[in-house]
Amino acid sequence: MMLNYKFNRRYGLPGAQASEFAGPAVADSGLLRKRMTRQLQARGISDSDVLSAMRTVPRHLFVQEALAAQAYEDAPLPIGYGQSISQPYIVALMSELLQVKPGMRVLEIGTGSGYQAAILAALGCIVFTVEYLRDLYRNARDLLRSLGVGAVYPHLGDGTLGLPDAAPFDRIIVTACGPKIPRPLIDQLDENGILLIPTGSPTRQSLKCLRKTGGRPDLEDLESVAFVDLVGAYGR
Ligand code: SAH
């Protein structure tokens, strides 16, 4: 059954358009998000802005309608074309590790469903997001637009090349895994910037955090993760 889902929260920059969206009915999605947020807190997410963004963005609209009922479980879900939306914990963890502030310019590689981009916009960032697959790019662009997510700029292309015209970025987040950190992304990271990226083989990946200080990259190995392949010129 389809119900009118009224979504009129304001996102991103002041002046973002509120809009109405007819999406799948998920009874009490607000309650499900509250429960999801409590579980994230129990797993160690403590940034109150991140928790409130996770409580606000209707994740069930970013997954296929048949999977909407599972959208608030802590699991990745398929979004078609062999790709997946990360589990809520990983989205929250990466958002927390990025240490964003409102107004920061953030580059995301791997738009996928657009959910991570919507979370970053809810945190007040200006989000440039790049997707390689045309259908996913189109779906995410249209969904973000219909939700009135103001400060997200979707691009179609090979994100391992970055977006030279929009660089430099305060933060860069890569949500797919390649063998190494693409050089263009390091170059397009601003001084004092943070780049979060999983690297490794398809079966052994770890999340890396690169900080740029005094022009020098400083790399920290965080935890083991599981992402889909990063393809492209500097990918697999
Ligand atoms: N952040 C997404 C999940 C991404 S899944 C979300 O919130 O839903 C990883 C995505 O990266 C896939 O959609 C895949 O097509 C895309 N991808 C892989 N290699 C890429 C590249 N070189 N440039 C841009 N996107 C890429």
Side-chain angles (χ1 to χ4, degrees):
M1 187 180 66
M2 290 279 285
L3 281 183
N4 245 357
Y5 180 90
K6 199 169 177 202
F7 181 70
N8 60 2
R9 289 295 285 246
R10 276 173 188 276
Y11 276 105
L13 296 178
Q17 283 300 303
S19 68
E20 256 192 28
F21 188 85
V26 169
D28 284 330
S29 76
L31 270 179
L32 293 174
R33 277 196 295 284
K34 262 195 194 150
R35 198 167 70 190
M36 174 183 81
T37 314
R38 276 201 300 272
Q39 284 167 356
L40 293 172
Q41 265 180 300
R43 286 195 67 181
I45 304 296
S46 60
D47 185 315
S48 59
D49 294 330
V50 170
L51 291 167
S52 112
M54 300 290 292
R55 211 162 27 232
T56 307
V57 178
R59 181 173 160 93
H60 64 283
L61 300 182
F62 291 82
V63 302
Q64 289 158 0
E65 212 172 319
L67 299 174
Q70 297 165 52
Y72 296 103
E73 290 166 18
D74 199 13
L77 290 173
I79 53 174
Y81 313 95
Q83 310 303 326
S84 55
I85 177 173
S86 304
Q87 67 187 98
Y89 172 68
I90 290 294
V91 174
L93 178 70
M94 290 179 86
S95 304
E96 185 169 83
L97 290 169
L98 268 186
Q99 301 176 31
V100 297
K101 293 190 188 68
M104 276 189 172
R105 296 163 63 82
V106 181
L107 173 65
E108 180 196 26
I109 310 305
T111 312
S113 67
Y115 179 67
Q116 174 77 68
I119 293 288
L120 292 168
L123 286 165
C125 300
I126 303 162
V127 186
F128 300 83
T129 180
V130 188
E131 172 58 49
Y132 198 66
L133 296 176
R134 185 179 299 271
D135 288 337
L136 286 177
Y137 155 76
R138 283 206 187 117
N139 291 349
R141 179 198 60 190
D142 295 350
L143 176 62
L144 292 165
R145 198 181 280 161
S146 71
L147 290 176
V149 176
V152 182
Y153 302 98
H155 292 258
L156 175 66
D158 177 5
T160 66
L161 302 172
L163 279 181
D165 291 348
F169 301 97
D170 300 301
R171 301 287 186 261
I172 301 180
I173 172 172
V174 184
T175 60
C177 180
K180 56 183 187 304
I181 305 180
R183 183 74 227 181
L185 300 184
I186 301 176
D187 294 341
Q188 291 172 34
L189 186 67
D190 210 349
E191 179 64 18
N192 297 318
I194 296 178
L195 162 63
L196 267 185
I197 180 170
T199 59
S201 71
T203 51
R204 272 181 82 95
Q205 313 176 2
S206 70
L207 187 61
K208 312 255 179 345
C209 178
L210 182 149
R211 284 161 205 272
K212 211 187 232 185
T213 27
R216 280 201 16 243
D218 175 34
L219 195 61
E220 193 187 345
D221 213 330
L222 304 170
E223 53 194 273
S224 79
V225 284
F227 281 88
V228 298
D229 278 348
L230 179 71
V231 296
Y234 294 83
R236 244 183 261 290

